[in-house]
C-alpha cells in the first residue's frame, strides 16, 4: 500500500507535516518504537510509529531521523499525546532527509494504525501471491516444472510469512523452505492428517505439537482429482501428500484458504510428474518379476537385470545383490460383495514410500526403488549397492584398516523398515485396514530371485498371522519355531498353553508368587541355576524351590529337554 492511502483514511487521524512529494512510497510493514537507535529492528519499507519518548532535546531529532532514512523506512508518524505539537526540530530533520512525517492525533491509538496497515499489506501480498501461483500453475501444466515445490513454499514464507513443508503419507519431508521439520513432528502430523481423512473431516486439519499450531492441507494427485463421494477414500489415503503450515487456519478468511488450496494444486502438478517418472522403474520391476514367477531361464532374467541396474543404480559398474520385499494392504469388506478395494496399487505406492530411508528428504530419494504389483500384492526389487562396490571405490567407502562392508550391513531388515512409519500408517489404516510385509535374504545371482520371492511371500504370511495393524517378518524368522507358531490353530494353541501355564497363573494369583516370570528367566538362561538366580536377584535355594513348585503343579521335569521345549513354546504362544 502507499503512504497516500494512509493519509486519505480519516479513521487513522494522520496529518501530513512534510514530504508531500514522497507520498507514493510503498509501505511493507509497521513498527512502533521509542528507542534512540532502532536500526537493528528495521528492514526497510516500514511506517515507524513513535511517541517521542526518545527525544530529550532538539539535538536528538537529527540522529534519529538519519537512522530511519538510512534504513529505508517509508515514513515516520509521531504521536501528539506526549508533547502536544510535533517539535519543529523533528519537522526540519525529516525535511532534510526527505522522510515523510505525519502527526497522529492523540485520540487515535497506535494499535489502530498498526492493525489497518497489517490488514492492508497482508491482503495485497495474498493477492500478489495468488497471481504468482496462478502464473506458475499455467506454466507447469503446459511445460517443464519451474523449480519444484520449494519455489511455492519460498513464496509462502516471503510474502505471507508462513513456514510450510510438503510431507509424504508417513511424515517424511519432501520439500520445505527454511528450517527442516523434525522427523518425529512430521510423523505425528502425518498421523493426524491420516486419521482426519479417514473420519471424513473437512480440511484443513488442525494439529498442535509441542505448543506449536499447524494446519494440514491434503495434496491429491491431479490425475485423480478430489476423491468423489462414490469412491472410497481408502484408495488414496495412504499415498496422498500433505502440506503442513505452521499456523492456525481455523479463523482464516475464505480468500486465504482458497489461496492455500491453489498452492496444493500447484504442488500436485509436480507430484504427478514425479509419479510419471516412476513408470519406467515400475515397468522394469514388473518385467523382471514376471520372468521370475514364470520360471524363466536365469540367463534371460540376468539380461533383464542388466537393463534394470543402470536405471536403479546409475554409475554402478558391477551388478548388485538384490532383496525382495512383499507387502499387502487388506481392508475389512464392507457393503455388497465385490465392493472391495484393489489392494495392489495401494500397497505399491505405500511400499515405494516405506523403502525410502526416513532420514532422507526430497521426492527424488525413491529413484532407486522398483515396485510392481500382482493382484493385491506389491513386490519390490531392491538393489544392495553397498555389497557390490565398483572397482576403485572400496578404499573411499571404508577405512582400509576397518571391517569390510558386509551383506548384513547393507541388507534391509523387516522390523527396521516399519519402525519410523508404524504410528502414522496405523492412523491411516484405522480399525479396518492391515499392512503386512515380508523381507527376503539378499541373493547374489538371478538363480536366487525365485527363492527370494517365495521367501518374502512366506515371511509376509508369517506377519499376517500376528496381531496388529502393521506387521512385518524377515527371512531370519523362517528358520526357527517362529515360522511354525502362527499357523497353529487357535483352539490347539489355547488348549496347549492352558494345560501347562494355567496352574502356574492360578498359583501366582492366589499366593502373589512369581512362578511365570521365574520360568521365563530360567529358560532364557538355558537352565543355568547361577545365571538365573543372579538375574532374578534370588538365592539359588529360593530358585530351586520355585522350580520345584512349577514341576509339582504341572507334573513336568525341567531337567528334561522335551519338557523345557514344551514350556518354551507355551510361553511363546500365550
Amino acid at each position: 500500500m502507499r503512504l497516500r492511502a494512509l493519509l486519505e483514511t480519516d479513521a487513522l487521524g494522520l496529518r501530513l507535516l512534510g514530504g508531500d512529494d514522497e507520498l507514493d512510497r510503498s509501505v511493507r510493514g509497521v513498527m512502533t518504537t521509542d528507542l534512540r537507535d532502532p536500526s537493528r529492528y528495521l528492514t526497510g519499507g516500514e511506517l515507524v510509529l513513535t511517541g517521542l519518548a526518545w527525544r530529550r532535546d532538539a539535538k536528538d531529532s537529527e540522529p534519529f531521523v538519519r537512522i530511519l532514512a538510512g534504513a529505508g523506512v517509508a515514513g515516520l508518524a509521531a504521536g501528539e499525546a506526549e508533547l502536544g505539537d510535533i517539535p519543529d526540530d523533528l519537522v526540519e530533520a525529516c525535511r532534510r532527509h526527505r522522510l515523510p512525517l505525519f502527526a497522529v492525533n492523540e485520540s487515535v491509538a497506535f494499535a489502530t494504525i498498526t492493525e489497518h496497515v497489517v490488514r492492508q499489506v497482508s491482503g495485497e501480498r495474498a493477492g500478489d501471491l495468488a497471481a504468482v501461483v496462478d502464473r506458475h500453475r499455467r506454466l507447469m501444466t503446459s511445460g517443464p516444472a519451474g523449480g519444484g515445490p520449494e519455489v511455492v513454499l519460498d513464496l509462502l514464507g516471503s510474502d505471507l510469512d508462513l513456514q510450510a513443508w510438503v510431507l509424504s503419507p508417513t511424515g517424511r519431508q519432501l520439500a520445505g523452505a527454511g528450517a527442516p521439520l523434525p522427523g518425529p513432528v512430521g510423523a505425528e502430523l502425518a498421523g493426524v492428517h491420516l486419521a482426519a481423512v479417514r473420519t471424513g473431516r473437512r480440511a484443513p486439519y488442525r494439529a498442535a505439537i509441542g505448543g506449536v499450531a499447524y494446519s494440514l492441507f491434503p495434496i491429491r494427485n491431479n490425475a485423480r482429482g478430489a476423491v468423489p463421494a462414490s469412491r472410497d477414500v481408502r484408495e488414496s489415503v495412504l499415498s496422498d501428500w500433505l502440506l503442513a503450515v505452521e499456523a492456525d487456519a481455523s479463523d482464516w478468511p475464505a480468500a486465504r484458504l482458497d489461496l492455500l488450496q491453489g498452492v496444493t494444486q500447484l504442488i500436485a502438478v509436480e507430484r504427478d510428474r514425479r509419479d510419471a517418472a516412476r513408470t519406467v522403474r515400475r515397468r522394469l520391476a514388473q518385467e523382471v518379476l514376471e520372468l521370475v514367477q514364470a520360471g524363466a531361464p536365469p540367463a534371460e532374467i540376468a539380461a533383464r537385470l542388466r537393463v534394470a541396474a543402470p536405471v536403479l543404480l546409475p554409475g554402478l559398474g558391477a551388478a548388485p545383490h538384490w532383496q525382495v520385499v512383499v507387502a499387502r494392504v487388506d481392508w475389512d469388506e464392507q457393503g455388497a460383495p465385490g465392493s472391495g478395494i484393489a489392494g495392489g496399487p495401494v500397497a505399491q505406492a505405500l511400499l515405494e514410500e516405506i523403502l525410502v530411508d526416513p532420514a532422507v528428504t526430497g521426492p527424488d530419494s525413491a529413484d532407486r526403488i522398483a515396485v510392481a504389483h500382482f493382484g493385491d500384492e506389491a513386490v519390490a526389487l531392491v538393489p544392495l549397492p553397498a555389497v557390490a562396490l565398483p572397482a576403485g571405490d572400496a578404499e573411499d567407502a571404508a577405512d582400509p584398516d576397518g571391517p569390510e562392508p558386509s551383506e548384513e550391513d547393507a541388507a534391509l531388515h523387516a522390523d527396521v523398515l516399519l519402525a519410523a512409519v508404524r504410528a502414522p500408517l496405523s492412523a491411516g489404516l484405522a480399525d479396518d485396514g492391515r499392512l503386512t510385509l515380508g523381507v527376503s535374504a539378499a541373493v547374489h545371482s538371478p538363480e536366487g530371485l525365485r527363492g527370494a520371492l517365495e521367501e518374502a511371500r512366506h515371511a509376509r504370511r508369517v506377519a499376517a498371522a500376528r496381531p496388529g495393524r502393521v506387521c512385518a517378518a524377515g527371512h531370519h524368522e523362517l528358520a526357527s519355531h517362529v515360522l511354525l507358531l502362527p499357523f497353529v490353530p487357535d483352539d490347539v494353541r489355547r488348549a496347549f498353553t492352558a494345560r501347562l501355564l494355567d496352574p502356574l497363573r492360578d498359583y501366582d494369583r492366589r499366593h502373589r508368587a512369581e512362578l511365570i516370570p521365574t520360568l521365563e528367566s530360567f529358560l532364557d538362561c538355558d537352565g543355568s541355576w547361577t545365571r538365573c538366580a543372579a538375574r532374578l536377584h534370588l538365592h539359588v535355594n529360593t530358585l530351586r524351590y520355585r522350580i520345584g513348585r512349577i514341576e509339582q503343579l504341572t507334573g513336568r521335569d525341567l531337567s528334561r529337554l522335551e519338557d523345557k521345549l514344551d514350556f518354551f513354546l507355551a510361553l511363546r504362544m500365550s
Side-chain angles (χ1 to χ4, degrees), residues 201-525:
R201 286 165 47 198
R202 185 179 179 85
Y205 314 119
R206 187 183 183 281
I209 300 174
V212 180
Y214 299 89
S215 295
L216 311 176
F217 298 81
I219 300 172
R220 298 190 173 98
N221 286 20
N222 289 333
R224 292 195 307 266
V227 178
S230 59
R231 289 186 56 184
D232 196 317
V233 70
R234 295 177 295 179
E235 294 182 30
S236 61
V237 66
L238 296 177
S239 59
D240 284 336
W241 291 359
L242 67 139
L243 176 68
V245 179
E246 189 178 314
D248 186 351
S250 57
D251 59 351
W252 280 7
R256 177 167 285 206
L257 291 174
D258 289 344
L259 173 61
L260 267 293
Q261 184 62 36
V263 169
T264 64
Q265 292 172 359
L266 183 58
I267 296 172
V269 174
E270 184 67 15
R271 165 71 188 270
D272 291 342
R273 293 186 188 281
R274 296 181 189 274
D275 279 353
R278 288 184 174 183
T279 303
V280 174
R281 297 192 301 278
R282 288 176 170 178
R283 186 183 302 119
L284 286 171
Q286 196 83 24
E287 291 175 352
V288 171
L289 291 168
E290 283 177 354
L291 290 174
V292 171
Q293 289 195 127
E300 188 175 353
I301 298 174
R304 291 289 187 183
L305 287 175
R306 282 194 294 272
V307 173
V311 176
L312 299 177
L313 295 171
L316 189 65
H321 298 177
W322 304 87
Q323 269 183 291
V324 175
V325 182
V326 173
R328 182 179 173 116
V329 175
D330 293 292
W331 304 99
D332 294 344
E333 284 292 338
Q334 296 179 354
S339 62
I341 300 167
V346 177
Q348 182 181 41
L350 192 54
L351 189 52
E352 286 171 337
E353 169 63 23
I354 290 173
L355 290 173
V356 179
D357 184 345
V360 176
T361 60
D364 293 325
S365 51
D367 281 353
R368 294 182 176 182
I369 296 168
V371 183
H373 75 82
F374 303 91
D376 288 335
E377 186 179 72
V379 182
L381 191 63
V382 183
L384 301 178
V387 295
L389 294 172
D393 284 357
E395 293 183 1
D396 298 331
D399 182 350
D401 298 325
E404 289 291 329
S406 69
E407 178 181 298
E408 189 64 23
D409 294 333
L412 299 172
H413 296 273
D415 52 346
V416 176
L417 279 177
L418 295 181
V421 301
R422 178 172 274 107
L425 291 184
S426 296
L429 293 163
D431 58 357
D432 61 348
R434 289 201 75 207
L435 166 67
T436 52
L437 183 143
V439 181
S440 79
V443 295
H444 315 145
S445 66
E447 290 88 341
L449 279 177
R450 184 177 178 85
L453 177 58
E454 290 305 315
E455 189 174 53
R457 283 176 167 161
H458 207 134
R460 192 206 64 78
R461 288 193 290 270
V462 170
R466 295 173 175 168
R469 290 292 168 190
V470 180
C471 299
H475 64 92
H476 300 91
E477 302 179 55
L478 303 185
S480 74
H481 66 281
V482 177
L483 174 62
L484 302 176
L485 295 185
F487 302 102
V488 176
D490 287 343
D491 54 344
V492 175
R493 181 194 303 258
R494 284 192 295 269
F496 182 74
T497 57
R499 188 176 299 117
L500 283 176
L501 301 182
D502 279 2
L504 307 182
R505 293 187 180 118
D506 291 342
Y507 189 89
D508 283 348
R509 192 163 44 249
R510 290 196 312 270
H511 300 281
R512 297 184 179 181
E514 296 183 348
L515 297 186
I516 292 288
T518 301
L519 176 61
E520 290 177 328
S521 295
F522 185 71
L523 295 176
D524 285 344
C525 292

Side-chain angles (χ1 to χ4, degrees), residues 25-40:
R25 291 187 180 188
S26 296
V27 179
R28 295 196 293 272
V30 63
M31 175 191 176
T32 300
T33 184
D34 277 311
L35 294 174
R36 296 168 68 87
D37 180 5
S39 57
R40 73 184 71 179

